Amino acid sequence: MLLLRLLTDSLALRSQTMKSLPPSSKFKFLLATFVSIVPACLLLTLILKYGVDVPHWDEWEYVRFFEKFSQGTLTLADLFARQNEYRQFFPDLIFVGLGWLTKWDKRYELLVSFALACLVSSNIYRLERLSIDGSRARRTMLFFLTNLLVFSPVQYENWLLGMQIIYFMPIACVTTCLVIACSQLSPRVKLLLCMCLATVSTFSSANGLLCWLVILPLLGWPSARVEGGNQKWPALVWIGGFLLSTLLYFHGYQSSPGHPGLFDFLNHPLRACAYFFILLGKVVEPGGIISLGGHFRSGRDLVVGATGLILAGMFMVSTLFVRRNLKLKSPAAVWVILGSYSIATGILVTIGRAGFGIEQALSSRYTTFTLYLPVALVHLIPIVLDRKIEKGRLVEQKRKLLPVLAGCVAALLSLIYLYNVRQMSGFSQRLVQGKACLLLINVVDADCLTDKVYPNTEYLKLAANELDHLGFLRPALIKSSRVQDIAIAGEQNARSYGSLDSVVQTAGDVYTASGWAVWSPREKPADAILLTYDKAEGDSVIFALTDTGEERHVIARLLRSSPPSAYAAWHKSFSLKGLPANPVINAWAFDARTGKAVKLDGTQMIQNTTTPKIK
């Protein structure tokens, strides 16, 4: 009940503020509130638009949970067991419980991640009210900048993969602990609730143990000592909980095969430093804007790394400043802790991942950990500026300086959004293409399975059929290679879906088919293209699968300034081995969301009398 009260206090505070305002100010208050939540609304729209109901990569490991749960053999030990390098007991509970209720509709897991981000945003809003002086408009401006970061599509992989709940849970626990520590609850209740949250954080993700470390200073802060009567027992109990959690986490721990060793980063210290700063700078990646021109690779690493170095430097300077000013120590404490969490997580990721190479630091999944460094700076810098203004001659510019800085930051983040949304769209398309391959796993052996779904096709086929048996795949797996079984009846205008333009011989018995294909109802490139050959009795048999590749001309498509063949082209090479003599080739647009196909315009016959007929 206490946690529920903390979660609803933010709404109550805004409601009370609304009632206390005169009628003339209510409209401004509502407008400011709406503007501050615009980033969250935009992000939710993107999740609903680009979310794909399909397991991806490591998520396939959870099929065994559903299989055991259906048989009544799933145990807590199964949920507590290490998944890759993590003990994610609490996310596993969510995956199994929510998955069973929704028949593992992955889109519900995306909404859980969004809800956790909303909890983080609400916590930061409460901390702002406690630590930032100034007008309501000033706090609204800072809250808007915070939401631009918290709900940034730069984390597009984490927004579109349900398993990435594990990345949102630790920061939700950390920020909730900060809110609890600043609340009016008794010291014992604070300690108990924070220990529970730190435990949840520990057994959610690899960096979860950091919750114990970054929250510990609050037990020794001046205000905490007054409330606790200068007793040492809270810190001792907290340290004891940390040690116990650490022992449980690392009990029987073994490094995952193929992963760098814990001390490999020491062999290349300069590369490790570059990896660390790129990791921090990726959050507000200016390199993404420049790379839209297509002539930016090594320079992108340099700019992103320099951005990370600047962010870390600004945080260190701000921290040193507030450290020397006891007056500012208490309000700045939560932001120093928040920034320290991101930096400490960046160090852990560098230790564990730098061996994979600098390119891996640009992965969007780690930004959920490190974006709270700029969030901390958004609040630390105003505190520092307030102190500088009080001592200097900038009193007259006080109202102008911070809005100008905030406007520049907001403009930069808005530009970066465009690049991030494009990446989100591309990743969604990749997931849809993987789903198309998955639905045909019993029909066609396609390379896209190992590239876009899961690397072990033998396990994948067993897991996919188990999910299909449980009714956890929508639509169901395609059982027959006869394309008429999935064809949409009554489609007459095949040309509107695309065409099979040519089939040419490229080498020996290898031929390449090419054309273009869109899914006309959505005016999007087709999720997959099926190639078929005609049998004597009139059936068409699926023998190959391909996709349209990356959609590169998004703006041109939206503006209708280029034909579909410019952004939905496809080609597929295939061998005549296994095909009848003189095969008649057709192509079909396939939609992974419905499991249906539509024949494309054009038919090609290959004149090859030497190929034996299929018996």
Side-chain angles (χ1 to χ4, degrees), residues 149-159 168 364 367-368 371:
L149 291 163
V150 172
F151 298 100
S152 171
V154 72
Q155 317 163 72
Y156 63 90
E157 286 185 77
N158 295 341
W159 293 128
F168 291 96
S364 70
T367 54
T368 302
L371 66 81

Side-chain angles (χ1 to χ4, degrees), residues 444-493:
V444 179
D445 293 328
D447 295 337
C448 55
L449 287 172
T450 56
D451 181 42
K452 298 177 180 178
V453 185
Y454 190 77
N456 187 336
T457 54
E458 183 178 352
Y459 169 79
L460 178 61
K461 191 167 186 177
L462 293 173
N465 281 279
E466 178 62 27
L467 284 184
D468 193 52
H469 173 72
L470 292 171
F472 283 13
L473 287 179
R474 291 158 297 274
L477 295 180
I478 296 169
K479 307 297 193 300
S480 170
S481 62
R482 181 177 177 271
V483 76
Q484 282 81 1
D485 292 339
I486 59 173
I488 295 180
E491 287 292 342
Q492 303 296 328
N493 189 12

Side-chain angles (χ1 to χ4, degrees), residues 43 46 50 148-149 151-157 159-160 282-289 291-292 300 362 364 367 412-428:
L43 192 277
L46 292 174
Y50 293 125
L148 278 177
L149 291 163
F151 298 100
S152 171
V154 72
Q155 317 163 72
Y156 63 90
E157 286 185 77
W159 293 128
L160 296 181
K282 167 67 179 175
V283 178
V284 287
E285 181 189 350
I289 301 173
S291 66
L292 287 174
R300 176 186 177 188
L362 292 168
S364 70
T367 54
L412 175 63
L413 292 176
S414 299
L415 289 175
I416 295 173
Y417 256 54
L418 298 176
Y419 172 67
N420 297 148
V421 170
R422 175 183 171 179
Q423 289 182 307
M424 196 171 188
S425 173
F427 188 68
S428 175

Side-chain angles (χ1 to χ4, degrees), residues 63-74:
V63 175
R64 59 188 178 87
F65 286 169
F66 296 115
E67 184 178 6
K68 288 185 176 182
F69 191 79
S70 66
Q71 299 169 355
T73 59
L74 183 66

Side-chain angles (χ1 to χ4, degrees), residues 435 439 474-476 478 486 488 519 521-522 527 589-598:
K435 182 172 184 175
L439 295 178
R474 291 158 297 274
I478 296 169
I486 59 173
I488 295 180
W519 192 253
R522 290 196 302 272
D527 299 331
F590 180 74
D591 180 53
R593 293 171 176 82
T594 60
K596 296 297 183 179
V598 174

Side-chain angles (χ1 to χ4, degrees), residues 143-190:
F143 188 51
F144 173 71
L145 293 179
T146 296
N147 285 339
L148 278 177
L149 291 163
V150 172
F151 298 100
S152 171
V154 72
Q155 317 163 72
Y156 63 90
E157 286 185 77
N158 295 341
W159 293 128
L160 296 181
L161 295 180
M163 181 181 176
Q164 303 308 88
I165 288 174
I166 64 176
Y167 283 23
F168 291 96
M169 288 190 72
I171 186 59
C173 292
V174 168
T175 55
T176 305
C177 282
L178 293 175
V179 170
I180 291 173
C182 296
S183 69
Q184 300 300 317
L185 299 173
S186 68
R188 286 182 175 82
V189 174
K190 289 182 181 181

Side-chain angles (χ1 to χ4, degrees), residues 373-432:
L373 175 59
V375 168
L377 285 171
V378 163
H379 300 88
L380 274 176
I381 289 177
I383 295 175
V384 172
L385 287 178
D386 283 348
R387 185 61 176 173
K388 284 290 185 182
I389 289 171
E390 289 175 7
K391 289 186 174 182
R393 301 178 179 177
L394 299 175
V395 178
E396 295 181 0
Q397 284 77 25
K398 179 178 179 179
R399 294 184 178 180
K400 299 180 180 179
L401 185 58
L402 188 59
V404 169
L405 291 176
C408 292
V409 172
L412 175 63
L413 292 176
S414 299
L415 289 175
I416 295 173
Y417 256 54
L418 298 176
Y419 172 67
N420 297 148
V421 170
R422 175 183 171 179
Q423 289 182 307
M424 196 171 188
S425 173
F427 188 68
S428 175
Q429 184 181 8
R430 180 180 177 86
L431 292 176
V432 172

